[in-house]
Amino acid sequence: MAQKKTLIASKAGVRLERIEDLAERQRGKITFKLSTYRPPQPRYIADLDEAEDAFAREVTASLQDPVIVALMERGTI
């Protein structure tokens, strides 16, 4: 199954990607993948507004996570 992936946003080790299934293009099948260093991950979301809200919440949580902050300070992420 061929997919087109487009990065929408990336911050604090959190990534939000738009995934378009090329075989389903006529039906407009698009999902959004939220990836993070914190569990559970990745998450797939069907609605853009919901995905953007989830991204913002996850960035906030990641910036408060001491493990993620330490990784950022070391330049790992």
Side-chain angles (χ1 to χ4, degrees):
M1 169 176 7
Q3 294 180 335
K4 178 181 176 185
K5 297 180 181 181
T6 305
L7 181 64
I8 295 175
S10 178
K11 184 175 181 180
V14 182
R15 294 175 51 94
L16 180 60
E17 295 176 290
R18 173 188 165 145
I19 301 176
E20 183 178 354
D21 185 338
L22 298 179
E24 299 282 333
R25 180 175 272 176
Q26 293 80 11
R27 289 188 255 175
K29 179 153 188 217
I30 296 171
T31 47
F32 300 92
K33 178 181 174 185
L34 182 67
S35 302
T36 178
Y37 285 94
R38 296 165 16 93
Q41 71 100 13
R43 292 187 347 217
Y44 294 90
I45 303 167
D47 179 73
L48 176 59
D49 290 335
E50 184 181 330
E52 289 175 334
D53 289 346
F55 174 80
R57 286 190 306 272
E58 187 57 39
V59 167
T60 299
S62 290
L63 290 172
Q64 295 174 1
D65 186 316
V67 173
I68 302 299
V69 171
L71 289 172
M72 289 174 29
E73 288 172 350
R74 282 185 264 168
T76 306
I77 58 172

